[in-house]
Amino acid sequence: ACSSGHVPLAPRRLLGGGMAEEAKRAAAWAAVENHVKNNQVLGIGSGSTIVPVVHRLAERVKQENLNVVCIPTSFQARQLILQNDLSLTDLDRHPELDVAIDGADEVDSDLRLIKGGGGCLTQEKIVAGYAKCFVVVADYRKNSKNLGEQWKKGIPIEVIPMAYVPVTRALTRRFGGGAELRMAARKAGPVVTDNGNFILDWKFDKIHKWNEVNTAIKMIPGVVETGLFINMADVVYFGMEDGSVCAR
Ligand code: 5RP
């Protein structure tokens, strides 16, 4: 259902800025070239790597007169779609997507992901879950062998605000480690998601069996969604330090 094909490289003239920024753009370019076709419903993820995805998509839509509609995974994604003159739609009108493209905080060799660094994990998981093909774009820093080795900020878990204290207790009693309520800049208050919820960042103290842990965490009353994306990604494009792209 989902083929990664060859890996086209972004022209060097488009590249600039730091090495990681170049890597993001190279991965974004490859994903858009390989997976976007005319008459598709596309899911647009959130985060910094999605910005060059949307820029390249907008270029292709104009140059090739493509007819594509986009479903956002966050307020940021919605703004990006509108600012780049792309057509906005939703899951009511298009309950099945052709392709969802999104970033990740960590990707392991089985294409398991940690996501939610930007707090948008619930809508990201919904959109990816209803896509025929889920394409991930990342720079070389996100590449790991076993999930949990790289990302040190904890696994994001979206919770209903009234339940964040009992969820924290249940989570850490059962699985160890610690969980912190994500705070806004200058500790002005908790981060509130696009769904009106809070985020707990669970700092695990060992590498778990992530599939089982994911299912168990989702059973804790008050948990909305976790940032563990297991068996979801079809292909990942890593932008590498030398400007090349590696598809896995
Ligand atoms: C937001 C996400 C992002 O995809 C993830 O945090 C990666 O972000 P970036 O592309 O800025 O590194 O899951 O909830």
Side-chain angles (χ1 to χ4, degrees), residues 105-109 112 114 141-155 204 206-208 210 228:
D105 298 303
E106 184 176 330
V107 183
D108 81 358
S109 51
R112 301 180 301 177
I114 296 175
R141 298 171 303 178
K142 314 290 183 62
N143 191 357
S144 91
K145 198 153 178 272
N146 294 308
L147 202 66
E149 283 175 353
Q150 296 271 7
W151 178 249
K152 297 299 172 209
K153 294 187 182 167
I155 291 175
F204 46 89
K206 63 173 189 182
I207 302 292
H208 288 266
W210 294 119
L228 288 164

Side-chain angles (χ1 to χ4, degrees), residues 16-246:
M19 205 180 274
E21 293 309 306
E22 287 196 14
K24 288 178 194 184
R25 267 178 282 181
W29 177 285
V32 172
E33 297 309 292
N34 268 347
H35 295 278
V36 174
K37 298 189 178 66
N38 200 15
N39 296 320
Q40 282 182 329
V41 180
L42 301 174
I44 303 297
S46 312
S48 58
T49 319
I50 277 303
V51 176
V53 168
V54 173
H55 289 164
R56 180 59 189 145
L57 175 63
E59 269 178 9
R60 281 199 57 201
V61 165
K62 276 204 191 90
Q63 284 163 1
E64 301 169 39
N65 203 20
L66 296 180
N67 172 32
V68 296
V69 290
C70 301
I71 301 184
T73 55
S74 60
F75 182 77
Q76 178 220 0
R78 185 176 186 278
Q79 296 300 95
L80 266 176
I81 292 165
L82 294 174
Q83 284 159 4
N84 286 277
D85 288 329
L86 293 164
S87 301
L88 190 65
T89 187
D90 53 39
L91 289 171
D92 295 3
R93 275 172 285 194
H94 295 98
E96 188 180 58
L97 298 88
D98 295 294
V99 180
I101 306 180
D102 204 347
D105 298 303
E106 184 176 330
V107 183
D108 81 358
S109 51
D110 292 326
L111 304 193
R112 301 180 301 177
L113 318 175
I114 296 175
K115 284 187 51 53
C120 313
L121 54 133
T122 299
Q123 293 189 30
E124 291 172 341
K125 202 179 268 191
I126 293 168
V127 167
Y130 291 108
K132 287 184 230 164
C133 182
F134 178 31
V135 178
V136 177
V137 283
D139 64 70
Y140 51 90
R141 298 171 303 178
K142 314 290 183 62
N143 191 357
S144 91
K145 198 153 178 272
N146 294 308
L147 202 66
E149 283 175 353
Q150 296 271 7
W151 178 249
K152 297 299 172 209
K153 294 187 182 167
I155 291 175
I157 299 173
E158 183 159 349
V159 295
I160 299 291
M162 69 174 284
Y164 86 90
V165 173
V167 170
T168 302
R169 284 158 59 98
L171 187 63
T172 52
R173 276 185 185 163
R174 181 138 182 222
F175 300 111
E180 284 167 17
L181 182 64
R182 194 180 291 182
M183 300 299 282
R186 293 184 293 280
K187 303 222 183 303
V191 166
V192 177
T193 70
D194 290 341
N195 313 306
N197 297 319
F198 291 169
I199 299 283
L200 290 176
D201 288 301
W202 173 44
K203 305 229 166 102
F204 46 89
D205 52 10
K206 63 173 189 182
I207 302 292
H208 288 266
K209 290 184 178 163
W210 294 119
N211 203 5
E212 289 169 23
V213 166
N214 183 43
T215 309
I217 293 174
K218 287 198 68 167
M219 296 304 290
I220 299 173
V223 169
V224 176
E225 192 48 271
T226 82
L228 288 164
F229 285 49
I230 315 285
N231 295 330
M232 293 189 73
D234 292 294
V235 57
V236 179
Y237 290 92
F238 287 106
M240 307 308 284
E241 285 167 282
D242 63 1
S244 69
V245 177
C246 171

